[in-house]
Amino acid sequence: MKKLILMGRVAAGKTTLTQALKGEQLHYCKTQYINYMDTIIDTPGEYTEVHTLAAALAVYSYEADVIGLVVSANEPFCVFPPNCTHHVNRDVIGIISGIDKEDANIPLAERWLLNCGVQKEKLFYVSSYTREGLDTIIDYLNK
């Protein structure tokens, strides 16, 4: 299985997605530091949001085969700049989390990730709670 690093703003659903992909019971756990596991690297949202911490994401991305940009379906804004994927020398996927939320705006989250440079065929739509879409990510990582 390819190693996946998850990046996104605070509360985007990275840790919950990590728990779901690993088949663990879902529980809230604020990520305080980079969690380097066998197949997943879970990063704190602050590393994406705070410029001075962002270099750590670049360093850890070299340990991964796939970079996952995570955007919650109900986020009010996107932290990733336009065309940010074009300088990355790894596969980049876009993950829209929380697709089951009442206030989900999936088309908006999709536009943000496409604007970042994620290819349409590398967009994944997931709910960690209902497990919808998890198999598609797992299948992709197993290729």
Side-chain angles (χ1 to χ4, degrees):
M1 179 179 258
K2 296 174 187 164
K3 184 174 284 257
L4 171 67
I5 185 169
L6 297 173
M7 301 178 187
R9 69 183 212 99
V10 172
K14 300 174 301 296
T15 300
T16 305
L17 177 59
T18 298
Q19 293 168 355
L21 288 171
K22 295 177 74 58
E24 298 174 355
Q25 183 176 351
L26 302 183
H27 63 281
Y28 177 76
C29 178
K30 172 66 182 106
T31 304
Q32 298 294 323
Y33 51 86
I34 293 179
N35 291 317
Y36 190 95
M37 295 165 253
D38 52 350
T39 58
I40 300 174
I41 303 170
D42 184 17
T43 65
E46 290 83 1
Y47 283 50
T48 303
E49 295 179 22
V50 179
H51 177 72
T52 55
L53 299 173
L57 295 177
V59 170
Y60 273 93
S61 71
Y62 287 105
E63 298 292 325
D65 302 305
V66 178
I67 296 172
L69 303 181
V70 182
V71 173
S72 179
N74 69 345
E75 288 192 20
F77 59 90
C78 182
V79 294
F80 302 111
N83 298 314
C84 65
T85 65
H86 296 289
H87 67 279
V88 179
N89 64 356
R90 302 280 188 275
D91 278 346
V92 179
I93 63 173
I95 301 170
I96 300 172
S97 63
I99 60 171
D100 58 324
K101 294 179 179 178
E102 277 188 36
D103 59 343
N105 188 344
I106 296 168
L108 179 61
E110 184 179 89
R111 281 194 306 272
W112 285 335
L113 288 168
L114 292 172
N115 192 39
C116 291
V118 175
Q119 298 171 358
K120 177 90 170 150
E121 62 274 6
K122 292 186 179 180
L123 287 177
F124 296 88
Y125 307 84
V126 301
S127 167
S128 297
Y129 290 94
T130 67
R131 301 196 52 82
E132 183 180 349
L134 294 181
D135 289 340
T136 58
I137 293 176
I138 293 168
D139 290 345
Y140 179 81
L141 295 174
N142 282 326
K143 289 182 187 176

